[in-house]
């Protein structure tokens, strides 16, 4: 029953590895807590509201500040700024509701 | 041991290629007998063997094995009977390539809950009795014809069945190996196993120690030659 | 148990017998799981980071809308808002965008709102005539501390600034395209109306009061749009869900193709396999045993691929910064922050990946397995 | 195990000593373990509701909301057998709009509003000048000073709402 | 609609399960119409082989239902952030009434499909397959539930909009809520505790007696009792077990215990309860099958095993729920 034993070992090792990675992730998060603290400080002191992930257009740069009209404004002949714009939904959330 | 009454088997009922394999066959085989089903190919030997071995369900008739009517039994229970009662030796050895002799021989035991240790001992014993114990870890495609045949027999014996069914066992062997095979079967018969061989090879059905020769033609039994069983060899 | 163990053993032999086919299957499967889990890990990590970081975002941002567009807000609103109970401070923000024709990048220009010293900056925060820049800007313009930086919009609107601070690389996700000026510089550079600001930042003491204040602002100043902190957080929650979902839709195509392949592999029962199952059934295997065998075969494939894929996905995202995705996500933005996501993972992610990959695969193998399992045992005798 | 226990005791003893020594009737910051003696809830996740009673010997009791503090105050025999109302130095509650600790006597409590504390309906502490606005914004029913709150009001409140509910 | 990976996974899974159960019942109809155990025709052989497919399909369906129940709640829990006012799965469920029905039906489907597996197991151990017809009729009964459950689930998630303002568990499961859930939470703790422990102490000896004695009445009694125990336990979880886990006297939510913060204790809690109740229920349900001669022995053997599992499940459930009551310093004012 060699193959089955080897296979079960492989599975066990992979599961252990996965658990190891899970622990590693917690460890890393703990280790980088200062970084998060620093970022929170940045957000607080510079009064930031958005991540600098996509700088193609206003509505992708400042997702939470954008309104429903923004996708139309930037470049008339283009519907969108690919790829960022195709992944980011125009922000319905803040406009409606209240 | 096995009683067959008025068995018929039709393949592909209702289809254009409907085929009558055997018609109205009755037969009774007692415990410890050694029987040959003789006849040209297409005469229904294999079908009859399949019916006896619970692999083929007859269209009509009754099959009684160890006092139990098996025709109506669902497949799940047929398999259990088959596993306990029969060992099969096939024309083409039908070993599974890519795995060792040991694994091939053990295969019938895999779906059971027999402990590993018991299984191990049994394989050793069976292979030893067939004198191919030294090849236990060899991959089966590396074996010679005779060795393959022995492994096939070992696999048939691993369940310690009451009955061995062999379908043209000598078809792919030369006469020397065929003789060897017959000797082995003879020995097993002497040990009390019921043996049924389907064959049209003279080497097989000319043997004096056969209890019965059933001759088949066009799906019918045309002749049954009965002989007194010989005393078991010591 | 013994029975399953032994059938597993045989299943492994049987998989090994068709080594190349199954290895190919394993690799494709692993690749798909790896890509899928990378997407999930990356989006979850960014989302989690947004939630952890923007918890300190302003409680309320008040924008003015004019004809549906964002417009400058009069500073006279400050006092109105300040008079509402529960409002601690109201601070005007001055910010905007600057297209740098030299590099083709878009910068975000912000005025300093406080003078606190920061951890994630080398150098210091700027005073009048100085600026602090994000890592991305610094790299694009090849800047170092004390270098001069020139901005121009029109003949009157130009600035020559000294770089006194550069945000550290690990803050890039927030600061990559930022250029921080002093307030007066921003007003001068953008030629802003003295009585107006870009928007107002409102601090509120009690969290339970935010919604009430927002409502009041909306009521008393109908041309404004208040954006609460919880809305910012929810935006990020939604965006990355959408993002994760978007990628999932793309991957669904790939998954489908893969399952069709798997189905094809399983249905196209070769004569050899049929023979093998015939033998097993002839020597005493029952239909359900063969089904168990097939179940183990697919389980072995799917579990090893799933585990390997998830592990590789983790390593890909958190050790190599999602190298595969960068070219896809980058598009034509010049300033794209390097990904160094925090390894936030959630068991839920892994459960979902399991449901998306293993469940459909197992389901797609049921009928083919059954078709194989019902093979007549006597087929081997008849051939 | 025992070693750990001894260490903990030691730390606790030292803590108490320092607390006693450095006693002022200043409002305290809750630590991670401070629990409300009335309901058993850990109080630090709800800083904007925090209420506390500081005793003359420097010990204190933290509550997850003014309602529990009032329950405690009006039934000290049940919750704290060693102390009576006489031993109390100061009572602090957290003002709703400023989220700063304020002495309970200097403030108005509003009941029946739509603002929910961690324990549901609350006596919301609002500074006197903002009571009117609060009553309008949050549909408050009754405003009352600390001294006027009777033990009966605390039980009444619940049945009141039950009557309304069904 | 919210395009969330978890929802997508549920959609795919639900679609597969619906397809599988529909196919299974289609095959089942044919088996019902043509089944003749006494025939040895090829037709009968084909039908017999179909039964393997049907039972395999149902096995997968059952496993899926078990797993997806947890995935469903887990997903609800993880998307609660999107809704204003939601703090856990309850909030997400409240966003749209259908969610609750989908949850109830999912639980029912889980019980039905596992009963089917149990009955199938018994039937397969008798040579004459005495339950074939009953089994496939039951299958035809289960399929609509599965389809309906999938339909509700899809309708529920499609109907969710991110800006729905919902109410959370804090307001639903509070004494002051006007809804049924509120009155559940407002149940007097002491009385509920007495009822809970009384019913547990009644049920456990009953199970033990059922294992040792062959009396049929006892089996029925156990089944009925365990059924009652299920509801009592659910009420107890809302009324007092949950608050001991949260250490919050006003927090009665039955879903928050599934969260990370409480060490996922809800998963073992609910799974032990479900296991315990299911196995004593099913031993009662199969009791009449003892009358069929070919099944008597198997039924008895299976009942013993099932009741033993049930006892273990219920003991584990009671232990888990009692643990914080005894060992935490948290005290509730009764």
């Amino acid at each position: 029953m060699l193959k089955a034993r080897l296979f079960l070992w492989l599975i066990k090792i992979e599961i252990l590895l996965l658990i190891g990675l899970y622990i590693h992730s917690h460890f890393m998060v703990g280790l980088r807590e200062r970084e998060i603290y620093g970022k929170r400080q940045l957000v607080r002191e510079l009064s930031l509201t958005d991540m600098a992930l996509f700088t193609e257009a206003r509505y992708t740069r400042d997702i939470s500040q954008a309104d429903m009209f923004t996708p139309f404004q930037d470049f008339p002949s283009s519907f969108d700024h690919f790829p960022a714009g195709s992944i980011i939904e125009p922000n319905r959330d803040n406009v409606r509701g209240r | 041991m096995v009683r067959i009454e008025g068995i018929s088997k039709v393949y592909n009922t209702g289809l254009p290629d409907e085929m009558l394999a055997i018609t109205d066959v009755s037969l009774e085989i007692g415990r410890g007998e050694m029987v040959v089903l003789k006849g040209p190919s297409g005469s229904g030997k294999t079908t009859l063997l399949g019916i006896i071995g619970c692999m083929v369900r007859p269209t009509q008739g009754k099959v009684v094995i160890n006092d139990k009517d098996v025709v109506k039994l669902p497949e799940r229970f047929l398999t259990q009977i088959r596993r306990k009662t029969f060992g099969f030796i096939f024309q083409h050895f039908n070993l599974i390539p890519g795995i060792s002799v040991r694994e091939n021989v053990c295969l019938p035991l895999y779906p059971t809950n027999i402990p590993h240790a018991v299984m191990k001992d049994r394989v050793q014993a069976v292979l030893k009795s067939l004198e191919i114990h030294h090849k236990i870890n060899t991959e089966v495609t590396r074996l010679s014809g005779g060795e393959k045949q022995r492994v096939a027999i070992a696999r048939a014996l691993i369940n310690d069945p009451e009955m061995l069914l062999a379908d043209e066992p000598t078809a792919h062997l030369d006469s020397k190996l065929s003789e060897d095979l017959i000797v082995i079967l003879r020995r097993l018969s002497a040990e009390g196993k019921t043996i049924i061989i389907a064959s049209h090879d003279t080497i097989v059905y000319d043997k004096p120690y056969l209890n019965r020769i059933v001759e088949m033609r066009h799906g019918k039994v045309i002749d049954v030659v009965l002989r007194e069983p010989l005393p078991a060899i010591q | 148990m013994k029975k399953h163990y032994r059938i597993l053993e045989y299943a492994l032999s049987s998989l090994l017998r068709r080594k190349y086919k199954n290895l190919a299957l394993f690799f494709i499967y692993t690749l798909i799981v790896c890509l899928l889990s990378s997407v999930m890990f990356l989006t979850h990590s960014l989302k989690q980071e947004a939630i952890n970081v923007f918890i300190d975002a302003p409680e309320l941002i008040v924008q003015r809308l004019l004809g549906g567009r964002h417009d400058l807000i009069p500073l006279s609103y400050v006092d109105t808002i300040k008079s509402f109970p529960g409002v601690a401070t109201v601070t005007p923000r001055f910010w905007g965008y600057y297209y740098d024709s030299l590099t083709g990048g878009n910068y975000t220009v912000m005025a300093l709102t406080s003078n606190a010293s920061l951890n994630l900056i080398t150098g210091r925060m700027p005073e009048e005539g100085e600026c602090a820049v994000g890592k991305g800007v610094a790299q694009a313009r090849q800047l170092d501390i004390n270098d001069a930086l020139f901005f121009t919009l029109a003949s009157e609107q130009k600035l020559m600034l000294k770089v006194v601070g550069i945000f550290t690389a690990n803050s890039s996700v927030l600061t990559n395209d930022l250029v921080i000026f002093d307030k007066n510089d921003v007003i001068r550079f953008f030629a802003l109306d003295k009585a107006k600001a870009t928007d107002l930042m409102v601090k509120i003491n009690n969290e339970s009061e935010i919604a009430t204040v927002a409502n009041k602002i909306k009521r008393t100043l109908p041309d404004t749009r208040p954006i609460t902190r919880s809305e910012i957080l929810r935006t990020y929650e939604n965006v990355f869900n959408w993002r994760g979902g978007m990628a999932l839709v793309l991957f669904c195509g790939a998954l489908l193709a893969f399952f069709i392949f798997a189905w094809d592999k399983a249905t196209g029962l070769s004569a050899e396999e049929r023979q093998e199952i015939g033998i097993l059934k002839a020597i005493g295997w029952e239909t359900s045993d063969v089904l168990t065998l097939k179940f183990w075969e697919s389980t072995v494939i799917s579990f090893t691929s799933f585990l390997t894929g998830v592990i590789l996905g983790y390593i890909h995202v958190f050790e190599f910064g999602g190298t595969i995705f960068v070219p896809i996500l980058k598009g034509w933005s010049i300033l794209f922050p390097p990904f160094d996501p925090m390894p936030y993972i959630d068991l839920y992610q892994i459960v979902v990946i399991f449901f998306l990959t293993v469940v459909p695969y197992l389901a797609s193998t049921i009928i083919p397995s059954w078709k194989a399992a019902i093979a007549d045992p006597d087929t081997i005798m008849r051939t | 195990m025992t070693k750990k226990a001894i260490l903990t005791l030691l730390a606790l003893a030292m803590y108490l000593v320092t607390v006693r020594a450095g006693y002022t009737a200043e409002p305290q910051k809750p630590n991670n373990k401070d629990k409300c003696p009335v309901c058993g809830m850990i109080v630090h996740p709800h800083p904007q509701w925090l209420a506390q009673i500081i005793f003359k010997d420097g010990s204190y009791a933290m509550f997850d909301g003014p309602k529990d503090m009032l329950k405690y105050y009006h039934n000290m025999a049940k919750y704290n057998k060693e102390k009576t109302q006489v031993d109390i130095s100061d009572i602090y509650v957290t003002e709703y709009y400023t989220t700063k600790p304020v002495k309970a006597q200097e403030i108005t409590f509003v009941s029946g509003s739509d603002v929910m504390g961690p324990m549901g309906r609350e006596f919301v502490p609002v500074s006197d000048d903002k009571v009117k606005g609060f009553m309008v914004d949050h549909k408050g029913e009754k405003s009352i000073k600390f001294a006027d709150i009777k033990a009966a009001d605390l039980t009444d409140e619940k049945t009141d709402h039950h009557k309304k509910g069904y | 609609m919210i395009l969330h990976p978890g929802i997508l996974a549920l959609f795919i899974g639900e679609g597969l399960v619906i397809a599988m159960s529909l196919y299974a019942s289609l095959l089942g109809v044919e088996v019902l119409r043509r089944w003749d155990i006494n025939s040895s025709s090829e037709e009968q052989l084909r039908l017999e082989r179909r039964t393997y497919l049907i039972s395999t399909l149902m096995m997968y369906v059952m496993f899926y239902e078990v797993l997806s129940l947890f995935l469903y709640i887990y997903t609800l829990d993880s998307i609660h952030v999107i809704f204003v006012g939601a703090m856990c799965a309850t909030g997400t469920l409240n966003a749209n009434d259908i969610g609750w029905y989908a949850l109830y039906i999912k639980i029912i489907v889980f019980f039905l499909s596992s009963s089917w597996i149990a009955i199938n197991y018994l039937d397969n151990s008798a040579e004459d397959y005495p339950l074939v017809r009953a089994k496939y009729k039951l299958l035809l009964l289960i399929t609509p539930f599965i389809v309906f459950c999938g339909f509700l689930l899809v309708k529920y998630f499609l109907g969710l909009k991110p800006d729905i303002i919902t109410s959370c568990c804090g307001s639903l499961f509070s004494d002051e809520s006007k809804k049924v859930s509120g009155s559940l939470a407002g149940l007097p703790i002491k009385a509920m505790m007495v009822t809970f422990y009384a019913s547990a102490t009644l049920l456990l000896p009953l199970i033990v007696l059922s294992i040792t004695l062959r009396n049929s009445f006892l089996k029925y009694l156990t089944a009925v009792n365990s059924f009652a125990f299920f509801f009592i336990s659910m009420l107890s979880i809302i009324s007092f077990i949950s608050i001991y886990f949260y250490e919050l006297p006003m927090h009665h939510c039955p879903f928050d215990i599934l969260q990370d913060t409480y060490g996922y204790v809800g998963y073992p809690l609910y799974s032990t309860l479900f296991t315990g109740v299911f196995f004593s229920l099913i031993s009662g349900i199969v009791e009449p099958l003892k009358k069929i001669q070919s099944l008597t022995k198997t039924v008895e053997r299976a009942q013993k095993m099932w009741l033993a599992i049930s006892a273990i499940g219920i003991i584990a459930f009671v232990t888990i729920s009692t643990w914080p009551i005894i060992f935490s310093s948290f005290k509730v004012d009764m």
Side-chain angles (χ1 to χ4, degrees), chain C residues 222-235:
Chain C
D223 59 340
T224 58
R225 175 166 85 117
I227 301 167
T228 64
R229 179 165 63 199
S230 64
E231 279 170 344
I232 295 176
L233 293 178
R234 259 180 310 122
T235 300

Side-chain angles (χ1 to χ4, degrees), chain C residues 134-379:
Chain C
K135 196 77 183 174
V137 179
Q139 271 165 359
R141 298 282 291 251
Q142 295 174 331
L143 292 172
D144 216 332
I145 286 182
N146 289 335
D147 284 355
L149 183 56
F150 187 67
F151 286 100
T152 176
L153 280 175
S155 55
E156 293 300 309
Q157 294 166 266
K158 52 189 169 191
L159 279 177
M160 177 71 102
L161 299 167
K162 196 172 98 177
V163 178
V164 293
I166 297 175
F167 292 104
T168 55
N170 55 9
S171 72
S172 290
V173 81
L174 286 169
T175 59
N176 202 45
D177 66 339
L178 274 191
V179 181
I180 305 285
F181 291 178
D182 182 78
K183 188 175 121 187
N184 295 331
D185 284 337
V186 176
I187 293 173
R188 199 144 29 95
F189 182 56
F190 286 134
L192 294 178
D193 189 336
K194 281 269 154 45
K196 283 181 175 172
T198 313
D199 50 24
L200 301 178
M201 171 174 92
V202 181
K203 282 213 179 327
I204 294 160
N205 290 323
N206 194 337
E207 217 171 309
S208 4
E209 197 58 15
I210 298 177
T212 319
V213 172
N215 267 327
K216 255 185 216 170
I217 293 174
K218 184 84 188 137
R219 245 192 347 257
T220 38
L221 305 165
D223 59 340
T224 58
R225 175 166 85 117
I227 301 167
T228 64
R229 179 165 63 199
S230 64
E231 279 170 344
I232 295 176
L233 293 178
R234 259 180 310 122
T235 300
Y236 275 89
E237 180 78 25
N238 272 341
V239 159
F240 290 126
N241 276 342
W242 169 242
R243 169 163 291 254
M246 181 68 203
L248 275 178
V249 170
L250 295 177
F251 277 118
C252 276
L255 275 178
L256 209 64
F258 167 69
F259 291 126
I260 291 167
F261 165 67
W263 175 283
D264 182 54
K265 177 224 158 219
T267 35
L269 202 60
S270 66
E272 196 186 323
E273 280 173 277
R274 200 183 297 277
Q275 173 86 356
E276 178 193 327
I277 286 158
I279 296 171
L280 290 178
K281 291 192 79 176
I283 61 174
W285 285 44
E286 214 249 308
T287 309
S288 59
D289 297 325
V290 181
L291 281 171
T292 315
L293 166 69
K294 289 285 166 189
F295 164 77
W296 277 117
E297 279 182 17
S298 33
T299 306
V300 166
I301 295 262
S302 54
F303 272 66
T304 41
S305 308
F306 168 72
L307 288 172
T308 318
V310 170
I311 290 170
L312 289 178
Y314 180 95
I315 293 171
H316 167 227
V317 171
F318 296 120
E319 302 297 327
F320 295 104
T323 347
I324 300 174
F325 296 136
V326 172
I328 304 171
L329 292 177
K330 215 166 175 173
W332 47 273
S333 45
I334 302 296
L335 299 170
F336 189 74
F339 273 132
D340 183 20
M342 297 269 275
Y344 292 110
I345 47 175
D346 185 353
L347 281 180
Y348 177 66
Q349 307 287 311
I350 294 171
V351 173
V352 169
I353 298 166
F354 180 85
F355 264 81
L356 281 173
T357 55
V358 176
V359 170
Y361 178 77
L362 288 183
S364 74
T365 59
I366 300 176
I367 292 175
S369 308
W370 171 75
K371 280 211 170 120
I374 57 160
D376 268 322
D378 66 328
T379 42

